[in-house]
Amino acid sequence: LTSITIPDSVSYIGGYAFSSTPLTNIDIPNGVRYIGDRAFAWTSLTNVNIPESIQIIGRGAFCTKKLQSINVDENNKNYCDINGNLYNKKQTKFMQYTCGKKRDKFTIPNTVKTIMEGAFGYGEKLNKLVIPTGITKIEYFAFNHTLKNIKYLGTSKQFEKVKKDKDDIIVKCSFKQTHKKNVFRVNETDRLKVTSNISTKDNATTFKSSNPKVMRVSKHGKVRALKKGKVTITVKRNGGIVKKKVTVKS
């Protein structure tokens, strides 16, 4: 199944209707009012035309790796496209990015308040995404772990107030010096190096030791092993969290 023409009599395309098929071409007639969640997700579609009649488009309906453009009929009262990307008519919801295009940077418009589920589900070809401070919600799986460089224009405190799924925020940490399997000897020191796929103006980072008597960690991530035992260092940055288990030997 690579191409299909939907009959004019159809008004409803259900969720997952064509998902995970090798579909490359689809003709959606003017008369279809509803497209369900992920109806065309994980296909090989490159171009999509949204007719005037469409009233509802479900989450991740066009989340595909090869998508080059989405064109919405200018008379559609519910949706619009800007440079091939899909928005609701008021441009407060960013619904689908054209993941098939290779771009150095994409900046979400200031009108947008919500980044919808799966919007950047295949964002490997986008080098940098810029998010304005007006964003109030990032839905589940919006980035799908594919975006490695996301810049939020506000501070960490501002970003904490954004409703989001923590799974989209990837935080990693490692010791700058070589400590195989995170094993220390008493009195050894080191410093934690922290990276994240999301950056803010200040990149505020917190460190906490589960047992400061075994290992102490400073507000800058410097650690010192104090006595034999096991400890967990918790690192938080920009809404993401990572835990590192450490063993201290005498």
Side-chain angles (χ1 to χ4, degrees):
L1 179 67
T2 58
S3 180
I4 188 170
T5 299
I6 297 174
D8 292 338
S9 58
V10 173
S11 61
Y12 183 103
I13 300 174
Y16 298 88
F18 299 95
S19 67
S20 301
T21 66
L23 192 67
T24 58
N25 183 55
I26 183 71
D27 183 10
I28 303 174
N30 192 30
V32 173
R33 298 193 300 271
Y34 179 95
I35 299 175
D37 293 351
R38 303 169 192 82
F40 298 97
W42 317 304
T43 63
S44 295
L45 287 176
T46 56
N47 300 285
V48 174
N49 294 313
I50 305 296
E52 177 186 353
S53 60
I54 294 292
Q55 298 175 6
I56 295 175
I57 298 176
R59 286 170 166 79
F62 301 104
C63 184
T64 70
K65 184 178 285 190
K66 297 182 179 181
L67 194 62
Q68 294 284 330
S69 68
I70 299 175
N71 303 295
V72 182
D73 189 293
E74 62 181 11
N75 294 317
N76 189 291
K77 296 180 180 180
N78 304 288
Y79 300 98
C80 69
D81 69 90
I82 302 175
N83 297 324
N85 298 308
L86 181 63
Y87 300 75
N88 67 334
K89 195 69 171 182
K90 294 182 179 180
Q91 298 172 31
T92 57
K93 294 181 179 181
F94 187 91
M95 300 190 64
Q96 188 61 60
Y97 174 75
T98 44
C99 295
K101 287 187 176 180
K102 187 175 182 179
R103 292 187 180 94
D104 183 58
K105 184 174 77 171
F106 178 75
T107 301
I108 293 177
N110 291 327
T111 57
V112 175
K113 302 298 180 184
T114 301
I115 302 174
M116 301 292 287
E117 179 180 332
F120 294 89
Y122 288 103
E124 295 96 336
K125 292 183 178 180
L126 176 61
N127 290 331
K128 185 177 183 180
L129 173 66
V130 180
I131 300 177
T133 56
I135 292 291
T136 58
K137 186 177 182 181
I138 300 173
E139 290 195 347
Y140 171 73
F141 234 48
F143 309 131
N144 192 23
H145 296 177
T146 61
L147 294 177
K148 308 301 182 184
N149 186 3
I150 303 169
K151 175 67 176 179
Y152 176 73
L153 296 178
T155 64
S156 294
K157 283 189 176 181
Q158 286 176 294
F159 191 65
E160 283 178 7
K161 296 178 181 179
V162 177
K163 293 181 180 179
K164 54 192 173 293
D165 191 290
K166 291 183 179 180
D167 286 344
D168 267 329
I169 305 169
I170 304 169
V171 179
K172 297 180 180 180
C173 71
S174 59
F175 291 110
K176 288 192 172 183
Q177 298 176 22
T178 302
H179 280 99
K180 292 181 179 180
K181 297 182 180 179
N182 301 327
V183 176
F184 283 70
R185 296 288 181 181
V186 172
N187 291 325
E188 282 189 330
T189 63
D190 206 335
R191 188 181 295 275
L192 284 162
K193 178 183 179 182
V194 182
T195 59
S196 176
N197 64 331
I198 295 181
S199 62
T200 61
K201 276 186 175 181
D202 54 352
N203 277 331
T205 308
T206 62
F207 304 89
K208 185 178 180 180
S209 171
S210 63
N211 191 340
K213 292 182 179 180
V214 173
M215 175 170 276
R216 185 172 62 228
V217 58
S218 74
K219 64 179 181 180
H220 300 297
K222 185 176 181 179
V223 300
R224 178 181 289 275
L226 300 176
K227 72 173 186 177
K228 182 179 178 181
K230 292 187 177 181
V231 66
T232 299
I233 305 296
T234 300
V235 182
K236 294 181 180 180
R237 175 180 283 186
N238 300 333
I241 184 171
V242 64
K243 295 185 178 183
K244 183 172 285 293
K245 293 183 179 180
V246 179
T247 299
V248 178
K249 295 184 176 181
S250 57

